[in-house]
Amino acid sequence: MTDLSGPATDLFVDFLCPYAWRGVELAAVLRGQDETFRLRHFSLVEGNHAENAKTHNWSLTDQPLDAPDGDGYMKYQTPSLRAFLAATAAAKQGDDAAWAFTLALFRAHHEGKKALDDDTIAAAAEEAGLDLARFEADCRDEAALRAELKAEQDASREIGVFGTPTYVLPDGEAAYYRFENLTRDPATALEWWNIYKTVLRSDPGVATIKRAKNRPAARMS
């Protein structure tokens, strides 16, 4: 989405996902501590679509914005597509604009419980301090936005992304990191990030850590 100088950690997100929201919040804090992240998009609707179970036959970017609601993940098809296209348009105003808009939209949806609709997107654009006239013009170039989003989905499949947030480190190591807690504290964010990198690069090659079903309830933010 945004060209950055030097190595960056790619962060694949979907606005539908509360874990992705917490991952973006963590990355946003770490950006102030000499860590570099690049926002990328992965569609959970596309990734979980029944027609893509064995081979890839269904793409979110081929769907109209007036498609009727479906069942399961499909009821999120249009809101998800609308949010992705808007975020792609916002990124045309630079990396800081992309992060400001992404944070504003995630917070509106997951903290403010707002729908991913045109009103919420417009409010997020204003809160992010975007050039609104340019944003609206870029949003109207829907074909170009869909092409960029399709390239993101193609890249995510090549990497093997299956959930959000997925971090791809500059050396190519990649893993899904499910955050049950939210932090905006710099010291805590750095501690969690260092744990992630240590586990990902450790000699045992830990692939899955999943808490037992009857574990004590985690703090949820």
Side-chain angles (χ1 to χ4, degrees):
M1 291 172 55
T2 305
D3 291 328
L4 303 173
S5 59
T9 295
D10 284 346
L11 170 53
F12 285 88
V13 300
D14 188 322
F15 289 97
L16 300 174
C17 180
Y19 305 111
W21 163 48
R22 296 175 192 130
V24 167
E25 292 278 7
L26 180 136
V29 172
L30 292 170
R31 289 181 75 232
Q33 301 185 61
D34 298 324
E35 294 281 352
T36 305
F37 293 87
R38 177 170 40 230
L39 288 167
R40 308 290 299 275
H41 293 145
F42 171 74
S43 169
L44 293 169
V45 172
E46 184 169 322
N48 287 279
H49 198 281
E51 293 185 27
N52 295 337
K54 294 183 179 179
T55 59
H56 188 268
N57 298 310
W58 187 94
S59 296
L60 180 65
T61 51
D62 291 338
Q63 312 311 311
L65 282 170
D66 58 356
D69 292 339
D71 297 323
Y73 262 109
M74 296 310 297
K75 68 182 178 181
Y76 303 116
Q77 170 184 311
T78 299
S80 176
L81 177 57
R82 184 184 294 113
F84 281 140
L85 294 176
T88 303
K92 293 183 179 298
Q93 297 189 34
D95 192 49
D96 288 339
W99 279 91
F101 177 80
T102 295
L103 281 168
L105 191 55
F106 263 116
R107 290 169 180 173
H109 185 51
H110 293 286
E111 283 188 309
K113 308 303 179 185
K114 302 291 186 181
L116 292 172
D117 57 19
D118 290 335
D119 289 341
T120 303
I121 286 170
E126 184 172 2
E127 181 179 338
L130 299 186
D131 179 331
L132 298 181
R134 179 181 175 185
F135 177 67
E136 291 170 3
D138 287 333
C139 283
R140 287 193 294 270
D141 191 1
E142 192 175 310
L145 299 179
R146 285 176 180 267
E148 289 190 43
L149 181 57
K150 183 181 185 302
E152 291 280 275
Q153 302 314 296
D154 292 344
S156 70
R157 286 199 307 280
E158 183 176 343
I159 293 167
V161 177
F162 64 88
T164 59
T166 290
Y167 296 88
V168 184
L169 302 180
D171 61 7
E173 292 278 8
Y176 164 60
Y177 192 173
R178 176 169 168 165
F179 291 88
E180 292 193 357
N181 297 316
L182 167 70
T183 186
R184 296 184 178 112
D185 174 69
T188 302
L190 185 59
E191 177 186 359
W192 292 1
W193 181 239
N194 286 335
I195 291 171
Y196 169 82
K197 291 189 293 185
T198 298
V199 171
L200 192 57
R201 292 168 168 165
S202 63
D203 289 338
V206 177
T208 303
I209 299 175
K210 191 171 183 179
R211 294 180 183 272
K213 182 178 179 181
N214 295 326
R215 74 189 190 279
R219 294 181 296 105
M220 300 296 290
S221 299

